[in-house]
Structure formats: structure tokens, C-alpha cells
């Protein structure tokens, strides 16, 4: 029996602790609630309709998102969070023999999908300052390219012009740009999908639209690639988007002002945090995301991580080569950040 079983080392998501009173800065969720329009729309969800299957095409979501982005609906694919969308993209677009490529330090789900779908891959090391050397992606015969922009967990963004160079140099494969954090300060390349039929852009409602619990993500690309994605989706599971998520997501799309308001609030808290963390002896790259990836000048990352946890403050730490001294700190409310800074002062003061 054993040899018939697929064995994988799974992706490890950030902890979702059950204990009360914690400050949760470990999974890049938005500290603010979703738009009030989402609340209103959910209160109108018809519970009797739950006995029916939802719309398999999730047309309300797809049509409204396409309209919001200035696209046609055949350029949009929707899935259960961008993890589902990315997983479908890996399954659909990386079916060849040539290895796909992505940075050594990036979203740690990419190599897991490669393993589970048996996709060959090779990683390209980030430079010492954690920036991407775009030459690594413009000279090669890849089976596919995946770039998170801004990158995670570093928060470092590439310019639109650099991404375009990568897309242009890889006409023989699909280039996926994972824009999970793009709204917090990077340039989206959605506008390039008209120009390049090998580009897929993936976005999520989990961060900048404060809806991680609803599981909504999109891929945008040329109609042919979107059709291939849908063909695979309908070969795996037709009814991916549940009815309340369709209702809530559609309402969120219609409240652009609220979206802009919470994003700018997160960005101004981040800018303040960068100053305060620097004063405490942390160093980091300029973040274009809703988190800061920071390293202290003298105290190991694991130690700060454990001590914060004892104080009920959860950040993210990886015991991995090159990044084990770093903490990824999600931007919370101003009050949460003040409490983080107080805790860090105490920790640093008690060690130094
Ligand atoms: N891409 C990146 C780079 C991420 O950090 C995350 C969040 N873990 C995702 C995609 C997936 O987010 P979601 O499935 O909630 O849309």
C-alpha cells in the first residue's frame, strides 16, 4: 500500500493561535475589518440558498473584478484564495520537462507545489541585500518563472520595467507574477497582460481587502491562458467558490474608497514602524508590503521571536538558511505596533 501513497512535505502556514488577548502579527492579515458593505451583503445571504450548489463560474465576482480592473471577463480566473489560484496555475502551466525557476528566498509554497505536482525547478539565489538579480531570469530556457512582487518574506519590490524585461525574455513559458502584496506600494503589471500572452498576474483579497477568511483570489491573463486554467479547474472541482464568498467579495469590489483608506492607513503605520525599528537597532529593506522583514544588530531572531511569543505577540520566524536572524512583522493597528515596540524595548533592555 505504501508505494501507492503520495508523500509530500507540506507547506507550514503561520500559526492561528486559539489563546485570547494576543497580538497577531504573523500571517500578514489586515488589522482592520472588511468594508461595511461586506457586512451588509452578508446579512442578506439567503440561508435557504445554501442547499443549492453555487454558481460554478462565480460570475458576479469575475464580472465585477474584470470591470474594476478594466479587463474583459475572459481575462479573469477566480479561486479559493490566491493559494488555490497559484496551485491551479502550477498544475496548468508547468506541465513540461524544463525546470521552472523562482528565487531561493520567496513564498515557501512554490517549492511545495513543485513537489506535489512533480514539477522540476531550480532556485536562483537573491543577492546578499535580498534583491532579485533580473539577469537570473532573462537568460535561460525555463519551463516557467514565478516572481512574487513585492517578494515575500523580504517585502522588496521589482519595478514594472524589470518585470516586463523578465516577461519579454521568457516568451516560451508562462511567467507568473504573484501580487499578493502589490497594493501596499509596488506597481502592478496587470496592464501588461494585453501586451504579453505569457503573463499571468495573481492577486488576493486576503491582505489589502481584509478578507483572508473568505478565501478569494484572482488570476489575470490572456483569454487563452485563462481558458486553460478553467479547463483544469473544471477537471478538479467545479464549485470552488461558495455562495457567501461570492456575495461578500462582490460587495467588497464595489467599495474602492474603503479599500484605499485601509491600505493607506497600513502604509502610514509601516512608515512610522520603520523609523522606530531602526532606532531599536533593526535593519531591513524598504518594504513595499504590509510587513517588515527585519534583523536585529545583536540579538538572534529566534530569541526575539520566543520572547515576543511569551508576551503574547506573534510574529513570523523561519529557522532557514540566510533568514534565520530575521523576523517578519505584519503591520497591525497603531496601538498593536506601540505594544510591539514597548515589548521589543523591554526584551532588548533585558539582554544588552
Ligand atoms: N502569495 C504570497 C506571496 C503570500 O504571502 C500569500 C499568503 N500566505 C499568498 C500568496 C496566499 O494568500 P491567499 O491564499 O490568502 O490569497
Amino acid at each position: 500500500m505504501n508505494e501507492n501513497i503520495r508523500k509530500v512535505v507540506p507547506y507550514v502556514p503561520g500559526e492561528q493561535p486559539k489563546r485570547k488577548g494576543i497580538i497577531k502579527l504573523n500571517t500578514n492579515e489586515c488589522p482592520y475589518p472588511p468594508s461595511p458593505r461586506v457586512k451588509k451583503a452578508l446579512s442578506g445571504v439567503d440561508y435557504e440558498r445554501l442547499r443549492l450548489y453555487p454558481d460554478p463560474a462565480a460570475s458576479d465576482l469575475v464580472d465585477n473584478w474584470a470591470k474594476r480592473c478594466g479587463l474583459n471577463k475572459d481575462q479573469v480566473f477566480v479561486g479559493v484564495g490566491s493559494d488555490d489560484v497559484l496551485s491551479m496555475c502550477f498544475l496548468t502551466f508547468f506541465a513540461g520537462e524544463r525546470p521552472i525557476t523562482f528565487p531561493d528566498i520567496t513564498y515557501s509554497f512554490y517549492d511545495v507545489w513543485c513537489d506535489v505536482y512533480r514539477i522540476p525547478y531550480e532556485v536562483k539565489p537573491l543577492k546578499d541585500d535580498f534583491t532579485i538579480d533580473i539577469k537570473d531570469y532573462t537568460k535561460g530556457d525555463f519551463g516557467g518563472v514565478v516572481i512574487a512582487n513585492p517578494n515575500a518574506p523580504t517585502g522588496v519590490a521589482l519595478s514594472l520595467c524589470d518585470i516586463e524585461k523578465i516577461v519579454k525574455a521568457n516568451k516560451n513559458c508562462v511567467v507568473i507574477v504573484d501580487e499578493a502584496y502589490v497594493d501596499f506600494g509596488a506597481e502592478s503589471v496587470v496592464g501588461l497582460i494585453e501586451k504579453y500572452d505569457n503573463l499571468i498576474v495573481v492577486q488576493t483579497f486576503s491582505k489589502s481587502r481584509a478578507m483572508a477568511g473568505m478565501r478569494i483570489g484572482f488570476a489575470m491573463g490572456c483569454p487563452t491562458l485563462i481558458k486553460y486554467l478553467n479547463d483544469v479547474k473544471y477537471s478538479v472541482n467545479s464549485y470552488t467558490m461558495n455562495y457567501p464568498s461570492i456575495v461578500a467579495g462582490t460587495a467588497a469590489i464595489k467599495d474602492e474608497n474603503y479599500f484605499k483608506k485601509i491600505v493607506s492607513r497600513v502604509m502610514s503605520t509601516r512608515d512610522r514602524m520603520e523609523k522606530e525599528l531602526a532606532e531599536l537597532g533593526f535593519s531591513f529593506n524598504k518594504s513595499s508590503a504590509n510587513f517588515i522583514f527585519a534583523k536585529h544588530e545583536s540579538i538572534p531572531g529566534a530569541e526575539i521571536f520566543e520572547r515576543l511569543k511569551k508576551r503574547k505577540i506573534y510574529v513570523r520566524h523561519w529557522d532557514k538558511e540566510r533568514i534565520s536572524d530575521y523576523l517578519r512583522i505584519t503591520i497591525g493597528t497603531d496601538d498593536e505596533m506601540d505594544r510591539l515596540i514597548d515589548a521589543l524595548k523591554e526584551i532588548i533592555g533585558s539582554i544588552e
Side-chain angles (χ1 to χ4, degrees):
M1 183 180 87
N2 207 24
E3 70 194 26
N4 293 327
I5 291 170
R6 189 182 295 275
K7 297 177 198 76
V8 283
V9 181
Y11 167 76
V12 184
E15 221 174 314
Q16 294 292 349
K18 299 264 178 330
R19 53 180 187 147
K20 290 245 154 45
I22 67 147
I23 297 181
K24 194 171 177 306
L25 309 173
N26 67 338
T27 49
N28 298 340
E29 289 137 330
C30 180
Y32 305 110
S35 155
R37 290 208 199 179
V38 172
K39 187 172 183 182
K40 194 159 169 240
L42 281 175
S43 71
V45 161
D46 173 10
Y47 113 98
E48 280 189 30
R49 236 180 101 174
L50 294 178
R51 80 191 165 76
L52 301 175
Y53 284 108
D55 170 13
S59 309
D60 282 349
L61 261 181
V62 168
D63 296 359
N64 279 288
W65 187 246
K67 200 160 123 205
R68 185 265 175 191
C69 299
L71 300 172
N72 295 323
K73 52 192 176 190
D74 60 1
Q75 294 170 305
V76 175
F77 172 86
V78 67
V80 189
S82 57
D83 280 341
D84 177 48
V85 173
L86 287 162
S87 151
M88 282 292 132
C89 289
F90 274 56
L91 187 58
T92 309
F93 302 129
F94 302 152
E97 312 256 291
R98 284 175 294 152
I100 72 157
T101 193
F102 44 82
D104 62 339
I105 301 167
T106 190
Y107 187 31
S108 50
F109 228 137
Y110 301 156
D111 53 357
V112 174
W113 286 315
C114 287
D115 287 340
V116 74
Y117 297 137
R118 307 206 172 131
I119 299 164
Y121 69 97
E122 59 188 43
V123 294
K124 304 284 179 201
L126 292 183
K127 292 194 255 181
D128 287 344
D129 64 358
F130 288 167
T131 57
I132 284 177
D133 187 344
I134 70 153
K135 286 198 294 305
D136 286 341
Y137 302 87
T138 51
K139 291 179 186 144
D141 185 22
F142 305 118
V145 178
V146 188
I147 302 284
N149 193 47
N151 197 7
T154 62
V156 177
L158 278 180
S159 67
L160 183 142
C161 171
D162 280 345
I163 301 258
E164 183 164 10
K165 282 183 193 151
I166 294 174
V167 177
K168 226 180 190 167
N170 287 283
K171 292 274 175 62
N172 291 332
C173 68
V174 172
V175 176
I176 298 176
V177 182
D178 177 354
E179 295 190 337
Y181 302 102
V182 77
D183 297 320
F184 299 102
E187 294 169 284
S188 174
V189 292
V190 167
L192 296 183
I193 67 168
E194 299 281 354
K195 203 164 156 191
Y196 298 99
D197 61 7
N198 61 327
L199 171 65
I200 282 281
V201 182
V202 176
Q203 294 187 357
T204 177
F205 273 26
S206 298
K207 320 291 179 184
S208 53
R209 298 201 185 240
M211 292 176 76
M214 271 293 163
R215 315 304 300 123
I216 298 168
F218 293 97
M220 290 149 282
C222 74
T224 313
L225 291 186
I226 297 300
K227 182 192 176 302
Y228 288 141
L229 264 180
N230 273 312
D231 289 347
V232 170
K233 171 211 146 152
Y234 286 117
S235 309
V236 175
N237 178 1
S238 317
Y239 304 106
T240 50
M241 302 308 293
N242 70 66
Y243 157 55
S245 286
I246 295 172
V247 170
T250 305
I253 295 168
K254 293 178 179 164
D255 201 349
E256 191 74 13
N257 283 342
Y258 183 84
F259 153 74
K260 286 188 183 144
K261 192 168 87 184
I262 58 173
V263 165
S264 84
R265 221 184 258 176
V266 168
M267 286 169 70
S268 67
T269 307
R270 177 189 68 203
D271 296 345
R272 170 171 81 86
M273 277 304 289
E274 288 186 332
K275 287 193 201 92
E276 303 214 20
L277 286 171
E279 277 166 23
L280 291 179
F282 285 91
S283 55
F284 41 83
N285 284 92
K286 173 89 199 94
S287 170
S288 298
N290 66 340
F291 55 81
I292 297 171
F293 194 54
K295 172 186 167 163
H296 192 259
E297 61 196 4
S298 58
I299 310 170
E303 183 154 359
I304 305 179
F305 171 77
E306 290 302 338
R307 286 178 184 241
L308 283 174
K309 200 165 169 179
K310 279 202 192 106
R311 288 169 170 78
K312 291 186 159 182
I313 300 177
Y314 284 60
V315 296
R316 194 89 198 261
H317 172 257
W318 287 270
D319 192 11
K320 270 191 188 168
E321 225 180 304
R322 297 187 75 189
I323 59 169
S324 60
D325 267 337
Y326 284 79
L327 299 171
R328 191 195 65 190
I329 305 166
T330 303
I331 302 304
T333 60
D334 280 310
D335 181 50
E336 287 173 327
M337 293 292 106
D338 288 343
R339 286 157 68 190
L340 169 74
I341 292 293
D342 286 347
L344 286 171
K345 281 181 183 159
E346 254 178 59
I347 292 167
I348 295 165
S350 70
I351 294 175
E352 283 179 347

